[in-house]
Amino acid sequence: MLPHAVSVSLPTWQDNVDYEEGSPRVLNVMKTGYPRFFIHKAIQQLAAICEQKFGAPHEKAMVFPSETFAKACRDFITRMDTSASARIVQFFICPRDADRKPSTYSVPSCDLHIVLFNEAHWSHAKAFWQHTGSGISSRQGEYCLRLLEKKGPTTEKVQSDIASKSPIRCKNRHYYSRSISSAQMADDLAERLNAEETAYLEERYGRNMPAVAAKEAKETLRKRIAGVLVGEKSNCCFKRDQPLSSSIRGVSNITEDDVFLFPGGMCAIWHAHQLLLRTLGNRKSVCWGFPYVDTLKILQKWGPGCYFFGKGSEFDELETLLEELQSQSPPGSNEPPILALFCECTSNPLLQTPDLQRFRALADKYGFAIVVDETIGNYTNVEVLPYSDIVCSSLTKVFSGETNVMGGGLVLNPQGKHYKKLRPELVSFYEDVYWDEDAIFLERNSRDFTTRVYAINQNAEAVCDLLHSRSLEAIEEKTTTNGSYLNGNTATDDASKSSLSRPTVVKKIYYPKWITTSLYNSLKTPKGGYGGLFSVTFTTPIAAKAFFDALGCEKGPSLGTNFTLACPFVILAHYTELDWVQQFNIDPYLVRVSVGLEKREVLLKWIEDAVLAAENAVLAAQKVENGKTIHDTMTCA
């Protein structure tokens, strides 16, 4: 098992349903998961130590890297339930001088901030952890455990607030954390010792910077994200004399000083929203298009809320809203009617591209900010910064590719209308809590980012071309174009005729090549492609399940991995609100696929086999249904 994996194997459709249902069959064997949903076992152990050391009976603990995050968590818990209370404990872990190893660890001590609350409020605390992505990283958790295992560490604690009350306990099915047995703790210790050996080898053979070079790693990352590094070699570490150039991001005067690193992509989005609330006022934002679930939750649960345009096509409604809100402002007021418009380029999971040029014109007219999440499009493929005030990204995804580290980035547009307000304010409250070891791994993983993106673009387009050719949408397009599906006696028509003897199982492919294509092409970089992510829907639920189960790639949450990764996205992200999402054209049986770097023929074979399995499943179901119909008819007769 990868020690700091950001995904988990859920290979069948039923596995995903059972995970959401909280089935012991799945949960009891899970060793890891996506870190914002499944708290890493090292962090669970550290939290258990804090509960024993500082907690009262029936109290749970959450561990944060800064007092700011801890206070935000405490405030969120008490805001979600006014009967709740929580307190914060500072836990400073300092090793003995003899135990310090600067060549291995760049941080000799850990300053943790623990939120303690009654276990009945676990769901609120875990929601904060999930939405904001601000908890400590698994590598930081392991480091703290190593310090605590040394003999005689010195620790200090500072408590604040009052002990939590004890209302009736409630269980949250989705968020999972289980207790750690003594046998597991022994296994985990062995894993941590192995991790130390791995770190040594990574440094010894030059794949990773030494941990003391974390500052340089972060500087390199910020320059890479700013698009000002030139002549990078994927197998080389950072060099102080690395040449710089004008940015490739469409904004000439951007520098690494406009890039801020965070523990994860959602943490970057949460900070972007907090920054705007502090700078432009306490107003509602607009969430445009159907976004990744936690972006919407952030806009709904912090500040005064948001206006949700979930279909991503309600332009007239948006303009009407802006005009109405503006008309309600006092005469002569220069205050914007909304705080900001948040959108994704492209969106997850429908791969829609927003009309950024149109939004920029509205933002200039009304004075609001534009925040774009470019995680899926990424700056190698699309140029969104010129239209944005803030660009956020999950660096965990294709920027890293290796599924072994979390990270997030926030970029300010130095040519943006609000830049002179935004940057000083962000600098005033920004804390660099991105764990040094994580930065080192992310720096190494991202050296070949551009090369990987180009290869993934080509693989994904080939896969999508195959699926699209087999889709109901393509058949309907041919029917519309030719007047009938078969229009001659050509080899193509013969193949099409043959295919009609089997059921059509693929309904629609969501991929920028066919979804809001003109908008995507208007943002596409000269060498860019359509990205590595697509979603596919099916003509029946039976076909969806059979396709997913037969697909030969890895299956689990996350995207942007170097290997192909698929999941029944709507089941994982919206299981408790399946009826609600359908009003935004979200199919509950949608399968999302993140294409990787495998050989093209392998990828295409996986797709062919999965489509065949789906066709066979539908035929089998039809045979059963026909047999039932005949039986019923004979019974009636």
Side-chain angles (χ1 to χ4, degrees):
M1 185 187 77
L2 197 63
H4 302 281
V6 299
S7 189
V8 63
S9 179
L10 294 169
T12 70
W13 192 280
Q14 193 60 46
D15 291 336
N16 287 269
V17 171
D18 287 351
Y19 166 73
E20 289 296 324
E21 291 283 357
S23 169
R25 181 187 74 84
V26 174
L27 298 186
N28 287 351
V29 298
M30 287 180 65
K31 294 184 177 181
T32 189
Y34 195 76
R36 286 190 299 104
F37 290 86
F38 185 103
I39 298 178
H40 191 276
K41 55 189 176 182
I43 301 174
Q44 291 183 41
Q45 290 179 33
L46 184 59
I49 291 172
C50 293
E51 289 164 8
Q52 294 170 7
K53 190 175 184 66
F54 307 118
H58 304 293
E59 280 193 327
K60 299 289 289 183
M62 279 211 159
V63 187
F64 294 94
S66 79
E67 183 181 12
T68 301
F69 291 163
K71 287 182 176 179
C73 179
R74 178 197 61 192
D75 295 345
F76 181 81
I77 292 171
T78 57
R79 184 159 52 84
M80 291 295 103
D81 187 339
T82 55
S83 69
S85 60
R87 57 195 177 92
I88 298 172
V89 174
Q90 183 182 11
F91 188 19
F92 185 77
I93 309 172
C94 181
R96 298 178 306 177
D97 290 342
D99 292 329
R100 301 186 186 205
K101 299 177 181 179
S103 63
T104 305
Y105 309 117
S106 61
V107 180
S109 60
C110 276
D111 189 10
L112 303 178
H113 297 265
I114 319 301
V115 178
L116 292 161
F117 51 90
N118 188 275
E119 60 189 359
H121 304 301
W122 169 256
S123 61
H124 299 314
K126 188 57 180 66
F128 178 87
W129 180 283
Q130 176 192 323
H131 297 332
T132 67
S134 57
I136 67 166
S137 82
S138 56
R139 285 188 177 87
Q140 186 175 2
E142 285 193 345
Y143 178 72
C144 292
L145 291 176
R146 287 197 295 266
L147 292 187
L148 292 171
E149 285 163 4
K150 304 292 184 180
K151 290 184 179 180
T154 60
T155 62
E156 298 176 3
K157 61 178 181 178
V158 179
Q159 295 194 3
S160 64
D161 299 337
I162 59 173
S164 299
K165 299 176 184 177
S166 301
I168 299 173
R169 180 188 175 109
C170 63
K171 179 181 178 183
N172 185 288
R173 169 179 47 76
H174 183 74
Y175 303 125
Y176 181 57
S177 175
R178 55 192 173 96
S179 60
I180 306 295
S181 68
S182 58
Q184 287 174 303
M185 293 182 73
D187 292 340
D188 297 338
L189 174 59
E191 287 184 13
R192 290 197 293 276
L193 293 174
N194 181 65
E196 293 187 37
E197 295 176 3
T198 301
Y200 168 78
L201 291 173
E202 295 285 1
E203 295 171 13
R204 172 65 178 81
Y205 293 101
R207 294 189 292 263
N208 270 4
M209 296 181 182
V212 291
K215 181 179 179 181
E216 287 81 3
K218 292 179 180 180
E219 182 181 347
T220 302
L221 285 169
R222 292 189 294 112
K223 288 178 178 178
R224 190 170 292 150
I225 295 165
V228 298
L229 285 180
V230 296
E232 280 200 287
K233 296 181 180 180
S234 62
N235 62 342
C236 294
C237 291
F238 169 80
K239 295 181 179 179
R240 291 184 179 277
D241 59 349
Q242 235 169 327
L244 303 179
S245 69
S246 297
S247 175
I248 62 173
R249 306 214 44 171
V251 178
S252 59
N253 60 331
I254 187 175
T255 72
E256 67 271 21
D257 293 334
D258 298 314
V259 179
F260 298 81
L261 299 177
F262 293 92
M266 293 315 305
C267 194
I269 291 175
W270 184 74
H271 273 83
H273 187 226
Q274 292 294 306
L275 171 63
L276 292 168
L277 288 170
R278 293 168 65 122
T279 306
L280 302 184
N282 195 40
R283 293 178 183 80
K284 288 186 177 182
S285 291
V286 163
C287 184
W288 182 264
F290 197 88
Y292 179 67
V293 56
D294 289 305
T295 298
L296 180 59
K297 299 302 183 185
I298 285 173
L299 299 182
Q300 290 175 333
K301 294 184 179 182
W302 279 270
C306 77
Y307 304 101
F308 182 37
F309 295 88
K311 294 181 180 179
S313 59
E314 308 95 324
F315 291 102
D316 291 341
E317 292 89 335
L318 173 62
E319 293 190 1
T320 299
L321 172 68
L322 293 172
E323 291 172 1
E324 290 179 352
L325 293 174
Q326 187 78 354
S327 68
Q328 296 169 11
S329 299
S333 172
N334 293 322
E335 299 296 331
I338 61 172
L339 180 69
L341 184 146
F342 285 73
C343 62
E344 298 172 342
C345 186
T346 51
S347 67
N348 181 13
L350 295 185
L351 284 300
Q352 294 176 326
T353 302
D355 192 341
L356 291 182
Q357 295 182 18
R358 187 170 183 177
F359 291 157
R360 184 71 264 164
L362 289 173
D364 291 341
K365 176 181 178 180
Y366 290 102
F368 60 85
I370 294 179
V371 181
V372 178
D373 181 349
E374 66 167 8
T375 299
I376 296 176
N378 78 71
Y379 65 82
T380 299
N381 287 327
V382 290
E383 192 173 86
V384 302
L385 186 60
Y387 306 99
S388 313
D389 293 282
I390 302 174
V391 172
C392 297
S393 181
S394 173
L395 307 178
T396 309
K397 308 304 190 297
V398 71
F399 186 80
S400 168
E402 289 287 350
T403 68
N404 64 357
V405 67
M406 296 282 284
L410 184 157
V411 183
L412 296 177
N413 180 358
Q415 295 181 6
K417 177 179 179 180
H418 304 290
Y419 177 77
K420 291 183 179 180
K421 292 181 179 179
L422 294 177
R423 191 177 184 283
E425 183 64 26
L426 180 55
V427 170
S428 72
F429 74 91
Y430 174 76
E431 297 176 275
D432 179 11
V433 295
Y434 191 42
W435 186 245
D436 286 352
E437 288 178 277
D438 290 328
I440 288 164
F441 273 85
L442 184 62
E443 189 283 319
R444 186 196 72 175
N445 294 350
S446 61
R447 291 173 197 164
D448 62 349
F449 163 62
T450 300
T451 303
R452 286 187 288 107
V453 168
Y454 291 151
I456 288 171
N457 286 344
Q458 295 175 5
N459 277 350
E461 188 167 4
V463 167
C464 288
D465 283 344
L466 172 60
L467 273 173
H468 182 72
S469 71
R470 305 283 290 274
S471 70
L472 182 63
E473 183 179 50
I475 293 173
E476 291 173 346
E477 287 173 354
K478 287 183 179 180
T479 300
T480 301
T481 301
N482 300 326
S484 64
Y485 184 56
L486 303 178
N487 65 325
N489 199 21
T490 64
T492 300
D493 290 337
D494 289 340
S496 300
K497 187 174 183 179
S498 176
S499 70
L500 289 177
S501 64
R502 297 186 64 81
T504 300
V505 294
V506 177
K507 184 178 181 181
K508 183 181 180 71
I509 307 300
Y510 292 86
Y511 188 61
K513 189 172 183 178
W514 300 288
I515 300 294
T516 54
T517 308
S518 61
L519 291 175
Y520 187 92
N521 287 338
S522 70
L523 302 173
K524 191 150 69 83
T525 61
K527 295 183 180 180
Y530 293 112
L533 191 75
F534 71 90
S535 294
V536 52
T537 55
F538 300 87
T539 53
T540 67
I542 291 173
K545 295 175 182 179
F547 176 92
F548 181 79
D549 288 352
L551 199 56
C553 66
E554 300 295 334
K555 298 165 196 173
S558 198
L559 59 91
T561 50
N562 291 340
F563 53 87
T564 300
L565 186 64
C567 71
F569 177 79
V570 185
I571 296 296
L572 283 179
H574 300 283
Y575 188 70
T576 61
E577 50 189 15
L578 295 178
D579 291 338
W580 175 75
V581 301
Q582 291 182 65
Q583 66 181 297
F584 303 107
N585 302 321
I586 306 295
D587 188 330
Y589 294 94
L590 173 149
V591 172
R592 191 188 71 182
V593 181
S594 175
V595 179
L597 295 169
E598 295 91 349
K599 291 183 178 180
R600 190 83 46 83
E601 57 268 26
V602 172
L603 291 167
L604 296 178
K605 182 66 164 54
W606 284 345
I607 296 298
E608 289 279 13
D609 289 347
V611 170
L612 180 61
E615 292 172 348
N616 289 339
V618 170
L619 287 172
Q622 290 174 349
K623 185 177 180 180
V624 170
E625 184 63 28
N626 291 338
K628 181 181 178 182
T629 301
I630 293 173
H631 178 269
D632 290 346
T633 301
M634 294 178 65
T635 300
C636 291

